[in-house]
Structures are given as structure tokens and as C-alpha cells.
Amino acid sequence: MSTFLLHLPYYHLGLKTHVLGLSQEDLKLELISYWSSSASHRARIALNLKGLEYDYIAVNLSKNEQSCPEFEKVNPTKYVPALVDGDFALADSFAIILYLEDKYPEHPLLPQDLQKRALNIKV
């Protein structure tokens, strides 16, 4: 059984802080990811550029772990990456990057000027 499958039940039960006796402030961000996923690379780059501490939880796509019921409860789309911040889970690398940018403004990834910012995030 993978580390991912052993670790994940705390999320879908909503008991991580209760079971482990941690407060929301004590929790690290967690990135559920796969090493060769380009979308996961983007999320890891953003976390590292911002200097944020996080736990990496591997989902082995070659073993189809993204289809296990435990992961589906965190991310119904079954895609990686997924970011878990306390009892909040977010999938999609672009959404993760924008969430990190807004929640952790130190070490900004995007310019503050609205026009320059818009040019940087256009898809």
C-alpha cells in the first residue's frame, strides 16, 4: 500500500486536526502529486518560489492510484495535482497557483500592476 493511501483517510473524514491533535496553524500545506506530471511541476515550482513548506504526497499514476476512492474524495476529477490546506482541497495547477498567490503574498509570482498581471495570467 502506498504512503498516499495510508495518509489520505484523514481528509475525507475531516478529522486530521482532531485525530492528530493539531490546530489549523500547525498543518503544513500538502501537495498530492506525481513526479512526471507537468501540471504538478507548476504547482511545486510555485510552492518553492514562494518559500512555502509543504508535504509531498505521491500518487502513482502508473498504478492508477488517482482512481482510488480515497483520492476521489479529495479530488473528484481524479487529476493531479491537488493542494490540501487544512480542510480545504483544491485541484488544477492554475487555480493552485492563484490561491497561493492570494493567500501568501510574500515572494509574489505575479506583478502588482494590473495590466502586467493580466498579461502574465492570460491563457
Side-chain angles (χ1 to χ4, degrees):
M1 182 176 287
S2 73
T3 304
F4 166 73
L5 294 175
L6 291 172
H7 190 75
L8 195 59
Y10 292 120
Y11 301 122
H12 73 267
L13 294 174
L15 297 176
K16 187 171 183 184
T17 54
H18 176 72
V19 171
L20 298 178
L22 300 172
S23 70
Q24 286 288 341
E25 294 79 35
D26 294 330
L27 296 176
K28 273 189 188 176
L29 294 168
E30 294 183 332
L31 184 68
I32 303 170
S33 181
Y34 185 62
W35 71 272
S36 69
S37 159
S38 61
S40 295
H41 283 298
R42 285 190 292 274
R44 285 194 305 273
I45 289 167
L47 285 160
N48 290 320
L49 285 174
K50 288 193 149 297
L52 298 171
E53 291 187 29
Y54 64 96
D55 289 327
Y56 180 88
I57 301 169
V59 173
N60 192 333
L61 299 180
S62 65
K63 293 183 180 178
N64 203 31
E65 287 181 355
Q66 75 277 14
S67 295
C68 74
E70 290 85 0
F71 183 63
E72 189 174 1
K73 290 175 183 171
V74 172
N75 181 8
T77 64
K78 302 180 192 174
Y79 294 138
V80 293
L83 180 77
V84 178
D85 185 7
D87 59 358
F88 176 68
L90 180 63
D92 184 80
S93 62
F94 188 61
I96 290 169
I97 291 168
L98 292 178
Y99 174 79
L100 293 173
E101 186 72 353
D102 289 340
K103 183 166 182 181
Y104 303 98
E106 57 281 352
H107 307 292
L109 302 173
L110 296 169
Q112 294 304 307
D113 178 271
L114 292 179
Q115 292 177 348
K116 290 178 182 175
R117 185 179 185 101
L119 289 172
N120 278 269
I121 63 173
K122 72 177 185 172
V123 271

